[in-house]
Amino acid sequence: MGATMLLDALTLQLGYNATLVAIGAALLGIAAGASGTFLFLRKRALVSDAISHSTLPGVGLAFLVMTAFGGDGRHLVGLLLGASLTAALGLWAMHALTRHTRLAEDAAIGAVLSVFFGFGVVLLTVIQTVSVGRPAGLEDFLLGATAGMLYQDAVLIAVAGALAVLVVWALRRPMTLVAFDAGFASAAGVNVRRVDLAMMGLVLAVTIIGLKVVGLVLIVALLIIPPVTARFWSNRSDRVVGIAGVFGGVSGFVGAAISATAPALPTGPIIVLTAFALFAVSMLFAPGRGVLAAWLRHRRQQRRIHLRQGLLAIAQDLPIYERYTLQLLVRAGLARADGVPTELGRRRAEKACRDESRWAVARRMHSHESAVSRYDGLLPIEDVFTRDEIREIDRQIAESGGGCA
Amino acid sequence: MAGEFVMLSLVPILIGVLAAVACALPGNFLVLRRQALIGDAISHVVLPGIVVGFLLSGTVSSWAMMAGAAGAAVVAVLLIELIRRLGRIEPGAAMGVAFTALFAFGVLLLEQSDTSSVHLDVQHALYGNLESLIWVEAKGWNSLFDPVALAGLPPELGRIAIVALVMLLFTLVFWRPLKISTFDEDFARVLGMRTNLIGFGLVIMAAIAAVAAFDAVGSIIVIAMFICPPAAARLMTNRLETQVLWSVAFAVFSAVMGYVLAGYGPLWLGGDDAVSAAGMIATVSGLVLGLAALYGPHRKCRGAPTDR
């Protein structure tokens, strides 16, 4: 059943609600990935952890208030309103702690998240005793639960997710500017405080929307992992925002679809693990910043240095002891296995040696100072100097009676 | 009345106090080093650790689970370091990636494996069950001198007592290197101290405290006690010695007050059932921090401006 059912889920054929949830999760992922990027670029990724944990007391309070007034304590809009109230309070408390005391931001984050969450747990136990026999189902907010979600709740999540995506789109320019260089943004006339506030508001909104799908313990993953993943693929902040949105959307969609295929696959963790899989693949294989690319770059550089040193050794008639160097020379057809250079090897060695002394002369000439500073021991001299300049250098070498070794 | 107190409340209060102190001691240095959220990360990854420990050993033996949790903590620290180095990512984000992924893995593992027969679930991991650690054999204060009754003490008490003692010894023995490397890492290096080793040792100690405290009281208290008492203490004084003493005092106060309020508060208000002690202890520690932030004598930054 697994494969066909997964295919059904991915192609949105698993029933109306599952489809709606998958779309909602995808929109949520896009909004979370994009808005999380601004937090990440501002090096405040874990602020979202404090926000998400401080939603719990709000959920509990809203439930108590709604039941006290005789309503249905599980009304989603009411619960989410309560959640956003205490989340805003938590954000304010964190802000106050860092602004008005000498505590660092990480301590403020940890204090707010543990205290608000602890108080939320106290409220949950109160609710357990108040609503005897009627399970409140508020534990779903810890890890998210989409199974058996009401139709209107799924619509609410999808619409709110779409709205959050629109807001990110509308605010992308000022937020990118502030995230990238707050000082410059301020000088350019952007109100940094207001943009920061909007950014926090957006993160808060994403957290609230994600409560029911991903749960408050793991929603922070959707705000952190896609931006970190996207960072491997680009150095341009506007692109990172877009890529993070795509990664977040894919994680949300695929995760929700996989989770819909079996009851023992909880939505939140599956979405997070999907995002993590994308992260792991990107960290290893992304071109440019990926681990594999860096390793290949390192190996190439190593090969070039070995070849260069080998050629210089040939030019000075020194024996080559380093096995790797010899291997490379043989493979390039520059030397025989016993270390004796070939004709081509001799010519290349002579040139390498000549270039070395050319660089030595160029280093003494003040007019070439900036060009010489680019020399890393491997740069071909023809890439830096014109033919006339090289001729002038050769003239000086001949004059001083120098030459190659 | 006394018998009931000794049987129902004495052991949980003692465990709460010891767990709070065990976390608050290394917490002082973590807060000063801006590594406060290490405790947050470790307490999240404890969940996959205990699940793996349970699956491998097939029993709910506490030792297997604690070994799993300790292993998971080490894995998490290494994973964070790996992501930070290989990906060149700032520590906060690297931590966020690692601990959420590991926690998600733990939840998935828990859902996939048949643990319905044993008491092992996410709620338990988060809130702990301090209230259930009662001393059945106790008849009254005299039981403290009765070897038969003492043998019936919950094993969590012994474990957390040992760990609290280890934390105390660690803090005392390595006081000088910890203090110097926390405030001036370059100076510590000039003196010939292995600052990397000190930093790693501190994180390992924090992990041990987190795992042991988690076993008894759940992860909320762990995070709260790592951060709130030391942070509040930081606002009371400029001297590290005094700060550590304040933090221990705050930790003990939070644990006792939290437990008493959770157990007896609802009765005073006319309710019949107690509320979560773990949550209440965290709440009280937050109130302490709030008061310190409003009225602490050293709440503001004075002297030379920092880089912040």
Side-chain angles (χ1 to χ4, degrees):
Chain A
M1 75 141 219
T4 55
M5 205 161 157
L6 179 60
L7 200 68
D8 281 351
L10 285 173
T11 50
L12 301 174
Q13 282 158 8
L14 218 57
Y16 214 76
N17 258 14
T19 303
L20 214 52
V21 166
I23 293 176
L27 287 167
L28 170 73
I30 296 173
S35 48
T37 306
F38 301 112
L39 271 189
F40 169 58
L41 291 178
R42 234 150 142 42
K43 295 199 173 31
R44 300 181 69 188
L46 286 175
V47 169
S48 53
D49 209 19
I51 296 178
S52 65
H53 281 76
S54 40
T55 55
L56 189 61
V59 170
L61 281 176
F63 182 90
L64 285 173
V65 169
M66 286 191 290
T67 350
F69 284 100
D72 177 14
R74 277 171 291 176
H75 189 62
L76 187 62
V77 177
L79 293 178
L80 294 188
L81 273 180
S84 32
L85 271 180
T86 50
L89 194 67
L91 198 56
W92 172 83
M94 203 190 69
H95 206 70
L97 275 180
T98 39
R99 268 192 92 86
H100 300 300
T101 75
R102 58 180 179 180
L103 293 175
E105 187 163 51
D106 65 330
I109 290 173
V112 166
L113 87 84
S114 57
V115 172
F116 274 70
F117 191 72
F119 186 60
V121 170
V122 169
L123 288 177
L124 284 189
T125 46
V126 170
I127 290 170
Q128 263 166 18
T129 59
V130 170
S131 59
V132 197
R134 231 166 8 114
L138 294 187
E139 280 80 9
D140 284 355
F141 284 96
L142 289 178
L143 296 170
T146 50
M149 186 188 274
L150 293 177
Y151 171 70
Q152 68 254 36
D153 291 354
V155 172
L156 176 74
I157 288 164
V159 170
L163 277 178
V165 174
L166 281 180
V167 173
V168 172
W169 182 256
L171 291 178
R172 68 193 188 285
R173 286 194 193 285
M175 288 203 300
T176 311
L177 204 57
V178 170
F180 199 65
D181 191 341
F184 174 72
S186 165
V190 175
N191 188 335
V192 174
R193 264 187 62 112
R194 203 176 293 165
V195 173
D196 259 345
L197 206 65
M199 183 173 78
M200 286 301 164
L202 198 57
V203 169
L204 199 149
V206 167
T207 308
I208 303 294
I209 302 165
L211 275 190
K212 188 78 184 166
V213 181
V214 187
L216 65 89
V217 185
L218 287 173
I219 181 68
V220 27
L222 263 191
L223 286 157
I224 295 180
I225 299 181
V228 172
T229 309
R231 189 66 187 80
F232 285 110
W233 294 88
S234 179
N235 283 328
R236 292 189 42 179
S237 49
D238 53 339
R239 281 192 199 154
V240 173
V241 175
I243 299 171
V246 171
F247 279 133
V250 169
S251 314
F253 184 77
V254 175
I258 294 176
S259 146
T261 59
L265 297 173
T267 319
I270 297 287
I271 292 180
V272 173
L273 289 173
T274 312
F276 184 75
L278 289 173
F279 161 81
V281 169
S282 302
M283 182 166 97
L284 293 177
F285 302 116
R289 283 175 58 100
V291 171
L292 183 68
W295 185 74
L296 287 177
R297 248 194 332 267
H298 173 77
R299 290 286 304 209
R300 219 182 92 218
Q301 183 79 351
Q302 202 178 22
R303 268 202 308 276
R304 289 178 62 198
I305 290 171
H306 272 277
L307 267 180
R308 175 84 179 175
Q309 293 308 106
L311 286 175
L312 288 178
I314 290 174
Q316 293 167 338
D317 276 330
L318 296 174
I320 296 165
Y321 295 112
E322 177 63 44
R323 301 238 333 247
Y324 185 56
T325 312
L326 191 60
Q327 213 178 324
L328 287 173
L329 287 171
V330 172
R331 214 182 298 160
L334 301 175
R336 295 202 319 241
D338 57 2
V340 179
T342 62
E343 187 51 37
L344 178 70
R346 243 178 230 302
R347 254 186 287 135
R348 289 278 300 278
E350 203 177 308
K351 175 164 174 354
C353 191
R354 192 167 59 237
D355 285 355
E356 196 74 357
S357 30
R358 281 169 171 169
W359 278 112
V361 172
R363 219 170 280 138
R364 287 199 297 270
M365 297 162 67
H366 294 299
S367 52
H368 297 325
E369 218 159 328
S370 68
V372 168
S373 69
R374 281 171 58 198
Y375 185 52
D376 58 353
L378 296 171
L379 191 69
I381 197 161
E382 294 86 354
D383 289 5
V384 178
F385 296 113
T386 63
R387 212 173 289 163
D388 287 345
E389 282 170 333
I390 293 178
R391 209 170 293 140
E392 166 63 19
I393 290 170
D394 283 345
R395 201 184 52 76
Q396 289 204 13
I397 293 176
E399 226 166 63
S400 62
C404 183
Chain B
M1 184 64 198
E4 197 183 321
F5 173 80
V6 174
M7 185 168 115
L8 293 178
S9 299
L10 180 65
V11 172
I13 289 183
L14 275 179
I15 289 180
V17 165
L18 288 169
V21 172
C23 291
L25 281 174
N28 277 296
F29 299 99
L30 292 177
V31 165
L32 287 171
R33 286 164 169 255
R34 309 213 169 155
Q35 289 181 321
L37 290 172
I38 278 278
D40 182 25
I42 291 173
S43 54
H44 277 89
V45 303
V46 159
L47 178 73
I50 55 169
V51 179
V52 169
F54 165 72
L55 290 179
L56 288 183
S57 69
T59 60
V60 277
S61 113
S62 291
W63 285 112
M65 288 193 181
M66 275 183 81
V74 173
V75 167
V77 170
L78 293 179
L79 189 64
I80 293 170
E81 205 50 19
L82 193 77
I83 293 175
R84 203 167 70 78
R85 296 257 169 95
L86 286 183
R88 279 161 290 163
I89 291 165
E90 55 124 351
M95 210 185 273
V97 171
F99 83 74
T100 53
L102 285 170
F103 187 80
F105 175 68
V107 175
L108 182 65
L109 213 56
L110 200 56
E111 295 279 333
Q112 290 284 311
S113 53
D114 180 29
T115 47
S116 49
S117 56
V118 296
H119 189 65
L120 183 62
D121 56 46
V122 177
Q123 273 85 344
H124 170 66
L126 291 173
Y127 323 154
N129 55 344
L130 195 52
E131 296 87 343
S132 69
L133 300 171
I134 51 175
W135 187 11
V136 188
E137 282 77 6
K139 304 275 183 299
W141 289 106
N142 295 335
S143 300
L144 285 176
F145 308 100
D146 176 6
V148 181
L150 284 177
L153 275 173
E156 283 86 354
L157 181 62
R159 276 200 292 268
I160 193 70
I162 292 172
V163 170
L165 193 67
V166 168
M167 291 304 138
L168 186 65
L169 285 177
F170 173 75
T171 315
L172 290 177
V173 170
F174 293 100
W175 178 262
R176 213 176 105 81
L178 275 173
K179 180 177 175 179
I180 296 177
S181 71
T182 297
F183 284 106
D184 195 337
E185 194 158 351
D186 293 331
F187 180 57
R189 223 173 284 135
V190 169
L191 291 182
M193 291 174 184
R194 310 264 308 266
T195 49
N196 287 346
L197 213 61
I198 299 169
F200 192 67
L202 179 64
V203 171
I204 293 295
M205 283 322 235
I208 292 173
V211 170
F214 162 85
D215 177 44
V217 298
S219 41
I220 311 174
I221 294 195
V222 174
I223 309 172
M225 287 305 137
F226 265 125
I227 298 173
C228 291
R234 172 108 175 90
L235 306 177
M236 300 299 289
T237 171
N238 272 332
R239 289 187 59 81
L240 185 60
E241 290 80 359
T242 330
Q243 180 191 321
V244 170
L245 291 180
W246 270 115
S247 76
V248 170
F250 286 150
V252 171
F253 175 80
S254 306
V256 175
M257 264 320 264
Y259 188 84
V260 169
L261 281 180
Y264 301 99
L267 302 183
W268 299 334
L269 291 176
D272 344 291
D273 293 288
V275 295
S276 160
M280 200 49 119
I281 292 175
T283 309
V284 171
S285 75
L287 293 177
V288 169
L289 174 60
L291 287 176
L294 287 176
Y295 306 110
H298 292 278
R299 60 188 185 278
K300 295 272 188 202
C301 196
R302 287 232 185 100
T306 60
D307 53 357
R308 187 144 55 85

